[in-house]
Amino acid sequence: MKKMKKVLASILVAATLVFAITMVSGCEVKIFDKDFSVKGLTLTLEKQFAVSESESFDAYFWDKDSDIHIYVIKEYFSPLRTADIPVNSFDDYVKYNCDIYEVDEDGVVEDDGFSYVTVEKALERVESKVKQNFVIIVAMYEGKDAYWTVEFACRKVEFSSQKDTLLRYARSAEFYDYTAPEKTFDDGTFSITLTDEFKKADGYDDYYACFYSGEMSFYVDRYEKSEFDEEVDFNTFVDNCLAVMAGGDAGIATFQGLTYFSTAWESDKGVIIDSEFYMFESEDSFWTVEVLSDYDDYERLDDAILNYALTVKIK
C-alpha cells in the first residue's frame, strides 16, 4: 500500500527530522489559529501547532510544547481495491489497518464518525538518540474520495493526561470536496498539465514518461517515424494501436482534436481496469498516452481524464 507499511516503524524519527529540516532550511512554518486543512480533511487543533510537508505522509503536525505529533495519510479508494488484501468497504479498511498495525480486531473502538485502535511503540528521538515509549491513537475515517488514517501520538508517560485531548482532535475531523491545484510537467518536447497530486515516476524505462496519483496513472510512449519499416500515416498508427490494445473491438472517438478509444481489462488480481488510450502525432513521431484507473471509478474520473489529455502539447 501507498505509505502505511513504513509509517509506524519510523513515525517519530521521520516526523521530528522533517520538522528539524524545515526549521534549519529556512522554509516557512505556518501557524494556524485552529483549523488545519489538507487535501480534503480539516482538523481543529490548538493554534501553536506547526505543519510541515513530508514525503512519508500527506501532512504532519507537531506541538512542541505538548510533544503531540499528528500524521495524516490519505488513501484513495481506487488503489485500495487493487491491494493484495481487498479493501472494498470501510470495514475492510479497518481490518486492513489492524493487520498493518498488528493489533487484534477486538481492540477496535467505534467513536463519533470514526474507528480507532491504540498502539504502543518505542521510538528513538532524533535529537537525543534516546528511545522513548509513545502511545498512538490510530484513527480511521471514510472521506469523500478516500479513506484516511490519522495517527495522534504522545509520550506514554503523558498518555493518561493527553488521551482526552488526542480524542478531541480526532473527533474534530471534517471532510470537504478537494480539487488539487495544477502543475505542468514539461521537458521541452512533451508537456502535460495535471494536478499537483501527480508525481513523475522513475524506473519506467520502457516508457517515455509515467505520471501517477492515487486515482490514475499516465503512461507516455514515443514512436519515431523513422523506426517503421514503411511509411505509416496517423490513421494506420491509430488502427494498429486499436488492434494491439483492444483487439479492434473498441470504437475510435474524437473530441477537440483528440483521437482516442476506451477499453477495459482484468488485472492478475482480478480487478477490472479501465484504459483510455490517446494518440498524437508530431513532425517526426507518433505518441500514445495511456491512462489507467479502476473501472468502478470510470464514470467519476472520465471528465477529468479527458481534460488532462486536452492539455498535452508536443513540440
Side-chain angles (χ1 to χ4, degrees), residues 49-61:
F49 271 87
V51 57
S52 179
E53 293 184 357
S54 166
E55 292 184 359
S56 299
F57 309 95
D58 288 285
Y60 161 58
F61 307 100

Side-chain angles (χ1 to χ4, degrees), residues 113-154:
F114 66 99
S115 300
Y116 73 88
V117 294
T118 303
V119 297
E120 183 179 329
K121 190 74 175 179
L123 302 165
E124 183 178 279
R125 303 303 297 255
V126 171
E127 68 277 14
S128 64
K129 304 299 182 183
V130 174
K131 281 193 174 183
Q132 290 183 315
N133 290 327
F134 271 70
V135 175
I136 307 160
I137 291 178
V138 181
M140 294 157 280
Y141 308 83
E142 182 172 7
K144 291 179 177 291
D145 58 350
Y147 298 119
W148 297 77
T149 295
V150 184
E151 301 171 344
F152 301 88
C154 72

